[in-house]
Every structure is written in structure tokens, then in C-alpha cells.
Amino acid sequence: MTRTQSRSWTDVRPARRAEIPEGLWLRCPECAQMIYRRQMEANLHVCPECGHHYRISAEERVRQLADPGSFTRMFDTIEPTDPLKFRDLKPYPDRLRAEQLKTGQRDAVLAGELFIKGRQSVVCCLDLTFMMGSMGSVVGETITRTIEHATDRRLPLVIVSCSGGARMQESGLSLMQMAKTSAALARYDDHGGLFISVLTDPTTGGVTASFAMLGDVILAEPAALIGFAGPRVIQQTIRQELPPGFQRSEFLLAKGLVDRVVARAQLRNELARLIDYAGF
Amino acid sequence: MASFYTLDFEKPATEVERRLAEARRRLADAEANRLRPPPSAPSPFPALDEAEAPVDTPDPGLLRTEIDELAAERRRLLEAAYTNLSPWNTVRVARHPERPHSREYIDAFCRDFCELHGDRRYGDDPAIITGFGRIGPHKCLIVGHQKGRNTQEKLACHFGCAHPEGYRKALAKMKLAEKYGVPVVTLVDTPGAYPGLGAEERGQAEAIAVNLREMSRLRVPIVSIVIGEGGSGGALGIAVADRVAMLQHAWYSVISPEGCAAILWKQANESTNRAAADALRLTAADNLRLGIIDDIIDEPLGGAHRDKTGAAQRVERWIVDQLQDLKTMDADTIVRKRYDRFRKIGAFREAEGV
């Protein structure tokens, strides 16, 4: 756990948590060990030394969950617009364009059908690399279509969440996506669907307060930040230090808010097992 | 109108209101003087009488003219101040301390409100009031955020920021209403759901999410009115309705202007708050244009805080009209239409090729 004071050629600056690490070697932000990047990647983007779960893109998530070659993309023609002519320090269309160029995606979501250990399912993954996985109209619409598709086809549904919450740049329209996705889940539930919600680091705000907490079964990756309000907002409100581990997966498990904390290496097995138990 | 709280843009109007109240008081005094019987016999103390009946007793006719002029002036100034209210000033009106809260609307609507407390799980959150009451000819279940009037109440209600138990209480009572076929009326007035340790521990996000899901399939009519602040998920948590209206000077958005400014402008101050309020399109007119609400209920001249009775009458009339209309539909139709109402909200484009 020691960090050298003087810089030498072995020094690699720790990767910022929100980013997918680049470079051959990186220092784990959790245990501060030097790790070979390829080894970490082969380990499903989990630190081989301490088990720290790195944040991963939606594409990587699907690659990890799907039986090889079984994934078919769906609803990927939906594109964001700027209905509010939103402008903060930067106009919203400029932000969108920059994010689209950076990620090669239209918005912060990836949906489709796949097989998980031979079980046909519908999946939707949020993508942190695109505007912090925030939910605007496109994310809301894609998730709703995915849920409706699962309802029509009577397939199990897996949504992997990671998001900063509702997207401010679409204001009230983003807020309404919370109601829209939750209403679609009500119908899916009426039709006897199985919705497994997987919460990963971080899942906060309007995403947590809508579909993410509505799973028939809720799984969480270890040590993921999961909450309604962000820790900084809470700290400013109550003006005291937050207890260690507050709003992390294990804390939610202890409070009875999630069903299981599941390491990434076990996720595929767990999903397949739950699908079996539900009888799909 | 004895308020110490004045918004800067309505200062000229409040000054005229002060003079108007003064003139009305003088008119009342003058009329009282006129009605007093004249002394029957010459007084032995003429000097004292002189002092009692001042020579410049105002002419009631002149006073009435002055009052009419002042009233016209007040109307003109209020109209000027309140037409095209900027978004940020709308937020400030929506937070006006004299603005009527849910409790006052409920008292104005019903004579026999039967409040029901508690979520049967953890506690009773005073930040959300629930209970049965009659609005016009309709039996209803009323759910409303409550901010609290005095300091003690405000602290108990966390200034209208509800905890999970508040949302769970609301849902439990709505299910009760569903069981007996009683329609639900919700009054939204919150800066947002409470962000704190206990709220997180007890599942704030889960409580709101479950309300969204269950309200979407509740088999009785639901109508919602944003009467003041419609702050984010905390507001939506009781506002998944068949018909949603906003009072003219209420605001409804995904985040408060201060919260938005702190994140996107990196600091919240007067100028960034104003910019965020503009950007968020949080006014009633904007929300109507975006299809997020169905109606705007006009407020009395100069805002609901100037005429609480007038505001309550307008809200009541809207509720009665909506319920009258919704009562003609069967439960399946209501639930299907509610689904479609939210299903179509969103702005996106379908790209041509992949």
C-alpha cells in the first residue's frame, strides 16, 4: 500500500476511475499494486490482486455476458436531439457530438437479444463512457422498447445499470423516462416476466429511483456505489462525515435493498441459474 | 398582506398595496366618524371637541376615488410584474413563504378531511399528507407534499422533502383507494426527496421507483397538480397521473436550478441559478409545450400567495372537471390511457441507416 514519493520510470499514474485504463501497466486505484493491463482484462476487468471491479463499457459487458456470437443488437437507430435548446457552459448538441465521436455510439445504451449459457434473454446495458450513462429520451425509449420486446416475446430481461442519473440537458423529458420505463416494467410484471436488475458502479439518481430498483431479483457488483442522492449532496445536507462503506453494495445488502452481491466472474452463472429457477 | 417577504420585482406593487390598505383604513375611519351622532348640546369644553373632531376630516368621496385609482395602479403593476415572469423569478414565486401549501388547499376543498397516517412499516412522514376527503361532489383520496408553515413544522417536514416512509405511506393509501374505487388527487410541492443517511438506508430510490410502477397500473383515476415546486423524482413519486396540471407560477423539472448550476456551471450563485432556471425549461408553459403536463391552472393576479381562496377555487374547479370526465371511463381504459400518456413522452430521432 506504499506509494513512492519520488517519481521513477516505474511510476505510472493511477487511472481515473471513470475511464477505461490505457497503457500497458496500470496502478490499481484500490490496492495501488502495479498490474499488467492484459492480465486485468483477461480477468474480466477485475484487479487480479485485490478484486477491484473496474468500470467497463456496455460493449464489454455484453461480451462478458453473451454466449460467443449470440448477441443481436436492437433498437440502435434511435438518436438524441436537443428538444430544449439546452445550453450550459457548452451547448448540448456539441456535448452529444463530442461524446458520439469519443465512443462511436449514438447514446448511453446498448440493447439486444442474447443467449446466457444457452438461455435466450433480452439485455440492456447502460454505458458510463457516454455522458456518465445518464438517462435522457434515447435511453428511456430504448429501455422501454427492450422491456416491451421482452414482454411480447416472453423472454427474461436483464438490465445492467451504471449511471449518474437522469440527464439534465433534457430536463422534464428525462424525468418522464423514469415513469415510462417503470410503467413498462409494470406491464412486464403483469405478464409474469422475470426482470433481473444488475447494479454496477455507480448507479445513482433517477436510474436507481426507477427501473434499476424494480428488479424481481436485484444483483449488485461488489463495492459498487448505489444510491438515490450522491454522497456529496448528502454530505452537504447533513453536514457530517458519511460512515465508511455507505451506499456501497455490501451496505445495501445489509439494509435489505439488494438480493445478492455477485462478483463479475460469477455473474453469468448467477443469471443462468436465476433464469432456470424462474422456469424460463 | 402583512408579509415581510417581498420579491424585488414586485416591490412597486407591494408599495401601492401598502398605500391602498392605508387609504381603505382611512375611509373606514371617516365613515365611522360620519356615523357618530353630533353632540346634542354645546360642549362646555370647546377646545377639547376641536381636538376630537379634526378639521381635515377626509371626504369619503375623495378617498373612494383615491382607492379606485390605487387599485387600478396595483392591478397594472401586478400585471406588469407577473406577465412574462422569468423562469428564475417563477421559482422564487413558487417558493414564496406565503404561498398556499397542500394543507391549506385541503382545508379549502373539504370540510370533512379524514387524515390517515403512517406507512405501517417504519413511521409517519409529515412531509406527505394522505387522507380521504370530498372535493365538490367527488369522494377522493388526497395525497400532498407538506412543507410546514412555522419553524417547528418546517423542521418536522424537512421543508417538504419526504423520506421513503412518506412515499410508502402515499402508496399504501392509494392502494386503499383503489380497493374502494375512490379516485386519487395528488398535490405536488417539494424541492426534491430528502437526501440523507436514513433516507438512503431505508431505500429512498426503491420507494420512489415502486410508486412509479404501482401508480402506472392503479385501477382508479389519478389527477395531479404541481402547486408549487415540482423537484425531480421526489415530485414524480406521487405524480404518475391520468391528468397533470401545474399552477401558473409553479415549476417542474428534473433538478432544482441550484443543483443544476452546481453541477453544470460548477457553482451555484445568483447568475448561474438564473441561467440554469432558463435552460431547464421548468415553467408551466414550457412543460405544457413539451407534453409533460396537460393543463395550466391560472393563478389569481399577483400569484396564489395574494389570494389563497381564489387559488383554491381554481384548483378545485379543475379537479372536479377532470374527475367528472375520468369517471366515465372503465378501469382498463384508464390504465391503458395512462400508459400511453407516459409512453409517448420523449424527444429523439430515428436514424436512417445503421
Side-chain angles (χ1 to χ4, degrees):
Chain A
M1 292 289 262
T2 51
R3 281 171 197 257
T4 44
Q5 289 297 314
S6 60
R7 296 184 70 83
S8 73
W9 68 273
T10 53
D11 274 356
V12 176
R13 300 179 57 196
R16 278 180 52 202
R17 290 196 70 187
E19 286 165 8
I20 308 298
E22 284 172 30
L24 268 180
W25 289 83
L26 57 114
R27 192 185 288 281
C28 174
E30 199 57 39
C31 65
Q33 289 286 324
M34 292 301 300
I35 343 166
Y36 188 44
R37 185 169 173 230
R38 285 248 183 96
Q39 192 190 359
M40 182 273 284
E41 284 174 0
N43 197 31
L44 303 173
H45 291 81
V46 174
C47 172
E49 301 290 333
C50 72
H52 170 68
H53 283 52
Y54 286 86
R55 294 172 171 185
I56 57 175
S57 68
E59 282 201 27
E60 173 62 23
R61 176 69 64 180
V62 167
R63 205 173 302 134
Q64 291 186 8
L65 291 181
D67 294 349
S70 73
F71 179 68
T72 327
R73 265 174 189 262
M74 296 172 76
F75 316 122
D76 60 346
T77 56
I78 314 171
E79 269 187 343
T81 61
D82 181 21
L84 273 53
K85 307 275 173 281
F86 194 97
R87 195 193 172 91
D88 50 272
L89 298 176
K90 220 179 181 186
Y92 181 40
D94 291 3
R95 266 184 210 276
L96 283 176
R97 210 164 307 125
E99 296 285 312
Q100 285 166 341
L101 283 175
K102 184 183 86 184
T103 61
Q105 299 175 97
R106 295 186 205 278
D107 210 304
V109 66
L110 177 61
E113 267 192 31
L114 47 53
F115 284 81
I116 300 170
K117 295 194 136 196
R119 286 112 180 132
Q120 193 179 8
S121 319
V122 179
V123 72
C124 202
C125 299
L126 297 187
D127 199 321
L128 267 184
T129 57
F130 194 104
M131 286 187 83
M132 271 307 280
S134 59
M135 173 163 68
S137 298
V138 172
V139 172
E141 179 69 18
T142 308
I143 288 175
T144 307
R145 287 189 193 181
T146 311
I147 298 167
E148 287 174 340
H149 178 75
T151 312
D152 293 343
R153 298 289 312 279
R154 301 191 164 276
L155 288 172
L157 166 71
V158 178
I159 300 181
V160 183
S161 297
C162 48
S163 173
R167 189 175 295 172
M168 283 177 283
Q169 287 85 349
E170 293 182 32
S171 193
L173 295 176
S174 301
L175 184 65
M176 293 303 126
Q177 304 309 310
M178 294 168 62
K180 181 163 123 182
T181 52
S182 303
L185 283 172
R187 283 199 168 178
Y188 182 62
D189 181 49
D190 286 340
H191 284 77
L194 166 67
F195 167 33
I196 305 174
S197 178
V198 181
L199 312 180
T200 70
D201 188 51
T203 303
T204 57
V207 166
T208 322
S210 60
F211 60 87
M213 286 309 280
L214 293 175
D216 295 299
V217 180
I218 304 180
L219 307 178
E221 281 200 334
L225 177 78
I226 302 160
F228 174 67
R232 225 171 9 145
V233 176
I234 297 173
Q235 209 160 8
Q236 282 162 7
T237 310
I238 63 171
R239 293 170 199 287
Q240 52 179 303
E241 282 297 303
L242 300 176
F246 180 64
Q247 291 185 313
R248 296 285 164 184
S249 305
E250 296 72 16
F251 173 88
L252 271 84
L253 184 73
K255 297 294 170 190
L257 293 166
V258 301
D259 292 291
R260 292 177 71 80
V261 175
V262 176
R264 201 169 281 170
Q266 293 307 315
L267 190 54
R268 243 166 81 79
N269 283 334
E270 292 267 341
L271 290 174
R273 182 163 74 149
L274 287 165
I275 291 169
D276 284 352
Y277 272 116
F280 276 83
Chain B
M1 207 44 59
S3 169
F4 296 104
Y5 184 90
T6 312
L7 298 164
D8 50 10
F9 65 88
E10 55 172 26
K11 259 193 190 130
T14 39
E15 173 56 24
V16 171
E17 276 175 341
R18 196 189 54 72
R19 279 164 51 201
L20 184 62
E22 170 74 9
R24 287 208 170 114
R25 196 184 53 72
R26 274 173 30 223
L27 177 65
D29 285 356
E31 285 185 335
N33 272 340
R34 205 157 50 83
L35 290 177
R36 194 188 304 163
S40 51
S43 166
F45 309 108
L48 276 178
D49 282 352
E50 198 79 359
E52 211 171 272
V55 276
D56 62 333
T57 299
D59 175 9
L62 275 178
L63 268 175
R64 282 202 192 88
T65 329
E66 190 189 337
I67 287 169
D68 288 348
E69 278 167 6
L70 282 171
E73 176 74 355
R74 167 184 182 269
R75 168 165 282 275
R76 196 183 58 75
L77 287 170
L78 282 176
E79 267 167 9
Y82 276 84
T83 28
N84 302 322
L85 208 58
S86 74
W88 178 236
N89 281 337
T90 304
V91 173
R92 293 165 72 201
V93 172
R95 290 174 182 164
H96 196 289
E98 291 300 321
R99 194 175 173 85
H101 294 164
S102 290
R103 179 73 71 187
E104 285 140 314
Y105 282 105
I106 293 171
D107 289 344
F109 298 156
C110 16
R111 265 165 299 172
D112 59 346
F113 181 63
C114 173
E115 184 165 359
L116 301 169
H117 294 275
D119 69 345
R120 310 269 178 93
R121 281 163 178 76
Y122 178 83
D124 182 39
D125 187 352
I128 290 185
I129 306 171
T130 56
F132 288 117
R134 273 191 180 76
I135 302 182
H138 305 292
K139 287 191 285 183
C140 303
L141 177 89
I142 308 174
V143 177
H145 290 113
Q146 180 62 13
K147 287 183 163 178
R149 208 30 100 189
N150 57 42
T151 308
Q152 203 183 351
E153 272 176 20
K154 283 178 185 161
L155 289 174
C157 296
H158 296 96
F159 299 84
C161 298
H163 277 70
E165 42 277 18
Y167 292 101
R168 291 185 181 127
K169 166 168 86 171
L171 182 61
K173 309 314 176 201
M174 286 191 268
K175 293 259 185 190
L176 194 63
E178 181 184 40
K179 185 174 171 191
Y180 300 110
V182 175
V184 176
V185 175
T186 76
L187 303 171
V188 177
D189 190 14
T190 178
Y194 190 75
L197 289 181
E200 294 288 329
E201 275 178 359
R202 299 195 290 279
Q204 184 73 284
E206 195 262 0
I208 293 173
V210 168
N211 277 22
L212 303 185
R213 183 182 66 196
E214 297 308 318
M215 284 184 83
S216 81
R217 59 179 167 185
L218 204 76
R219 295 178 63 78
V220 287
I222 308 175
V223 299
S224 294
I225 305 105
V226 184
I227 57 171
E229 300 192 78
S232 193
L236 185 64
I238 61 164
V240 181
D242 303 299
R243 305 278 160 79
V244 185
M246 284 174 75
L247 277 182
Q248 192 184 357
H249 306 308
W251 69 268
Y252 193 14
S253 156
V254 71
I255 190 170
S256 69
E258 291 90 339
C260 179
I263 298 168
L264 291 180
W265 278 263
K266 320 284 181 209
Q267 53 176 326
N269 56 44
E270 187 71 14
S271 82
T272 57
N273 289 344
R274 188 171 295 134
D278 283 343
L280 284 169
R281 312 284 176 209
L282 44 68
T283 64
D286 282 324
N287 277 292
L288 184 69
R289 188 174 52 80
L290 292 166
I292 292 164
I293 62 164
D294 309 289
D295 266 321
I296 298 174
I297 302 173
D298 283 337
E299 293 185 24
L301 180 65
H305 55 284
R306 280 199 164 69
D307 178 7
K308 297 186 184 190
T309 321
Q313 280 167 351
R314 288 161 194 235
V315 173
E316 181 174 342
R317 203 172 315 136
W318 185 83
I319 294 171
V320 170
D321 286 351
Q322 303 308 314
L323 290 182
Q324 204 67 50
D325 186 29
L326 290 165
K327 270 198 170 165
T328 61
M329 297 177 205
D330 64 281
D332 286 338
T333 313
I334 284 175
V335 172
R336 183 173 46 78
K337 285 196 163 186
R338 191 183 304 141
Y339 186 85
D340 294 342
R341 184 192 180 282
F342 286 92
R343 180 66 188 84
K344 66 175 197 285
I345 302 181
F348 50 85
R349 224 185 356 243
E350 299 275 351
E352 295 292 308
V354 181

